[in-house]
Amino acid sequence: MSPAARLRDLKPDWISDPKVWRTEVLAGLVVALALIPEAISFSIIAGVDPALGLFASFTMAVVISIVGGRRAMISAATGAVALVIAPLNREHGLGHLIAAVILAGVFQVALGALGVAKLMRFIPRSVMVGFVNSLAILIFLAQVPEMHDVPWAVYPLIAAGLALMVFFPKITTVIPAPLVSIVVLTVITVGAAIAVPTVGDKGELPSSLPVPGLPNVPFTMDTLTTVAPYAFAMALVGLMESLMTAKLVDDITDTHSNKTRESIGQGIANIVTGFFGGMGGCAMIGQTMINVKVSGARTRVSTFLAGAFLMVLCIAFGPMVSDIPMAALVAVMIMVSFATFDWHSIAPKTFRRMPAGEIIVMLVTVACVVITHNLAIGVVVGSITAMVIFANRVAHLAEVTAVLDPDGTTVVYQVTGELFFASSNDLVGQFNYEGDPDKVIIDLSAAHVWDASSVAALDAIETKYSERGKTVEITGLNTPSARLHGKLSSELTAGH
């Protein structure tokens, strides 16, 4: 086979598919338009110039499209990152903030290489559902200020935008409905000279590309100790939000992504962003939903173009972009919120069939996220709640039944279930130390010993019997349980 033919075989099918290219290009344009007011708003939260948020969105999107592990996912400046680094900027200035962004990227690369992405498998489905629903609620709540104390014309514009996005796809899906909505509402407000809040009211758009450089800080140990805690917090929040978003996109598109590559890619993107003077970021769930669920994008092209179009729109078409009414973007985000929410999870039929523990975990996750406006906190608290409920449920599955031999010289205790710190605490009290005969057999063939607490409980049982002159024989241990028991037995009590 010739090199040219081999190259053709290696090319993905979509490269030569004009329909895919149209979808990806238009999706990138819609996302770029939606990124502008968001990036400016997050810059305000972080206390920096709006250009820094826009630069971050540009560099994050472009870099992650090349080095990231999840295709079609959008990374840019985010509120979660802005909240983490805002105190550092307020107390120490912009130079320290930029240094923290670069260091956060280094931390993310290191954590990714160490396999932090593998922890995703410990996040239960109920937490994931709560994460999705709380995300939808936060997206909607973020639009509420744009509908408060505004000219009356904003409300019919939002309604018109929603109507266009609902009914236009029934006519054609060649052009994304959100793009049609933005263009139509902009033409109406500009043509009729309707005075409503616009993108330009959020802040001045940059007029040139960012220039690389080093953060303006003294390169000392004191600077490192100042920025390191903020950088580590940013790295953790950014990774958690990015990996959760990647998992969500995996489910929506029914495809798999490389979470380790995504973790390292997020770090590289933040390092590049820091050297270009951006405020840092991570995966943007709302914009990702616009790209994947609303616009139908599936490749890295849309992610790259979202960043590229963002700078082109700001630099070359700044005055036109500034005239886009915020009502058009609010309508897009409300539609995203509605499409993101898992309505099946709150259906009466689901509540009747779902175990109470699963519902509690979902509600706790949603409540924590909505109260704190921090997705990472909600995921952590929800996961801990799920673990506690699971441990409590499994703890009750450990049962002990006693069978006395006909001759009355031996009693066999059959232990069934999982033995770990929660279930083994009650194990010691389920034996008749005074009334049992001199020989006691504990059969663990239907049980599994998971931790040191269980081994200590078995040691305590043997001790109580030996104090009464009785012997204990433990049988039926499977290979892992026998290995753990042999390693720790008699090493966990006082005096050893």
Side-chain angles (χ1 to χ4, degrees):
M1 183 183 293
S2 67
R6 192 179 299 113
L7 183 61
R8 282 196 300 271
D9 288 342
L10 291 173
K11 288 194 305 181
D13 294 338
W14 57 263
I15 285 183
S16 57
D17 189 339
K19 291 183 179 179
V20 173
W21 274 98
R22 183 178 61 239
T23 299
E24 299 295 314
V25 171
L26 294 176
L29 180 57
V30 173
V31 172
L33 290 169
L35 276 174
I36 293 173
E38 294 272 300
I40 294 173
S41 298
F42 297 146
S43 301
I44 295 170
I45 292 173
V48 299
D49 187 274
L52 271 68
L54 292 164
F55 288 159
S57 297
F58 162 60
T59 54
M60 287 291 297
V62 169
V63 174
I64 206 68
S65 70
I66 300 169
V67 300
R70 174 64 256 178
R71 291 174 307 210
M73 192 167 78
I74 305 296
S75 291
T78 59
V81 168
L83 288 170
V84 171
I85 60 178
L88 179 63
N89 180 61
R90 188 166 54 248
E91 296 170 16
H92 299 280
L94 179 60
H96 283 72
L97 182 150
I98 300 301
V101 171
I102 296 172
L103 184 58
V106 174
F107 282 144
Q108 287 178 328
V109 171
L111 289 169
L114 291 172
V116 70
K118 294 178 182 177
L119 296 176
M120 282 296 296
R121 68 177 183 269
F122 293 108
I123 297 178
R125 182 187 178 279
S126 51
V127 173
M128 191 68 190
V129 173
F131 169 82
V132 170
N133 289 345
S134 57
L135 159 66
I137 294 170
L138 285 186
I139 292 174
F140 179 81
L141 291 178
Q143 312 314 310
V144 173
E146 305 296 338
M147 296 183 283
H148 177 68
D149 194 23
V150 293
W152 67 269
V154 167
Y155 304 110
L157 285 173
I158 292 175
L162 291 171
L164 278 169
M165 284 183 284
V166 170
F167 295 109
F168 187 80
K170 299 181 184 301
I171 301 172
T172 179
T173 57
V174 172
I175 304 175
L179 180 59
V180 174
S181 177
I182 291 170
V183 171
V184 169
L185 295 190
T186 302
V187 170
I188 290 173
T189 54
V190 172
I194 302 174
V196 292
T198 64
V199 170
D201 297 331
K202 288 288 183 181
E204 187 177 351
L205 302 182
S207 56
S208 61
L209 289 171
V211 178
L214 295 174
N216 184 22
V217 294
F219 291 90
T220 63
M221 186 58 67
D222 183 58
T223 300
L224 179 62
T225 56
T226 299
V227 304
Y230 293 94
F232 192 65
M234 175 184 162
L236 290 179
V237 169
L239 279 184
M240 185 173 295
E241 195 154 336
S242 299
L243 292 175
M244 290 292 287
T245 305
K247 190 173 187 303
L248 177 60
V249 178
D250 288 353
D251 294 340
I252 292 172
T253 60
D254 197 24
T255 58
H256 176 72
S257 61
N258 188 328
K259 305 301 187 301
T260 297
R261 178 177 170 180
E262 183 61 40
S263 302
I264 295 173
Q266 288 289 331
I268 295 172
N270 271 306
I271 292 171
V272 173
T273 295
F275 282 121
F276 275 91
M279 58 175 275
C282 61
M284 288 197 80
I285 307 170
Q287 271 64 23
T288 298
M289 289 300 100
I290 293 176
N291 196 46
V292 174
K293 202 163 188 177
V294 178
S295 301
R298 292 293 183 270
T299 77
R300 299 178 186 276
V301 174
S302 57
T303 306
F304 179 87
L305 291 178
F309 281 148
L310 174 64
M311 279 294 98
V312 171
L313 289 170
C314 291
I315 296 171
F317 301 100
M320 293 174 58
V321 173
S322 296
D323 287 335
I324 295 175
M326 284 302 301
L329 299 175
V330 169
V332 171
M333 297 311 293
I334 289 175
M335 182 62 71
V336 169
S337 172
F338 183 86
T340 301
F341 198 91
D342 186 350
W343 297 100
H344 175 73
S345 67
I346 61 171
K349 185 192 300 184
T350 303
F351 272 83
R352 285 195 301 268
R353 295 181 177 180
M354 191 70 67
E358 302 283 318
I359 296 173
I360 290 171
V361 169
M362 181 189 73
L363 295 177
V364 166
T365 304
V366 171
C368 287
V369 172
V370 172
I371 291 171
T372 65
H373 282 229
N374 190 317
L375 290 161
I377 291 177
V379 171
V380 170
V381 174
S383 298
I384 292 173
T385 303
M387 291 176 187
V388 171
I389 291 174
F390 174 76
N392 184 63
R393 184 186 303 157
V394 175
H396 297 297
L397 297 179
E399 298 179 354
V400 178
T401 56
V403 178
L404 185 65
D405 272 4
D407 58 8
T409 60
T410 305
V411 63
V412 178
Y413 282 93
Q414 177 78 42
V415 181
T416 304
E418 308 299 318
L419 299 183
F420 65 112
F421 62 89
S423 59
S424 60
N425 287 335
D426 298 328
L427 189 65
V428 179
Q430 299 190 51
F431 292 80
N432 185 4
Y433 302 102
E434 291 290 345
D436 282 341
D438 291 341
K439 185 176 181 181
V440 178
I441 297 176
I442 301 176
D443 183 4
L444 297 177
S445 57
H448 187 98
V449 179
W450 286 102
D451 59 6
S453 297
S454 304
V455 176
L458 293 172
D459 283 354
I461 293 168
E462 289 188 82
T463 301
K464 287 180 179 293
Y465 276 116
S466 65
E467 288 172 350
R468 294 164 174 79
K470 302 175 182 181
T471 61
V472 175
E473 180 184 356
I474 297 176
T475 64
L477 286 167
N478 58 35
T479 301
S481 299
R483 189 182 302 118
L484 182 65
H485 185 264
K487 183 179 180 180
L488 298 179
S489 183
S490 302
E491 297 294 331
L492 301 172
T493 55
H496 292 275

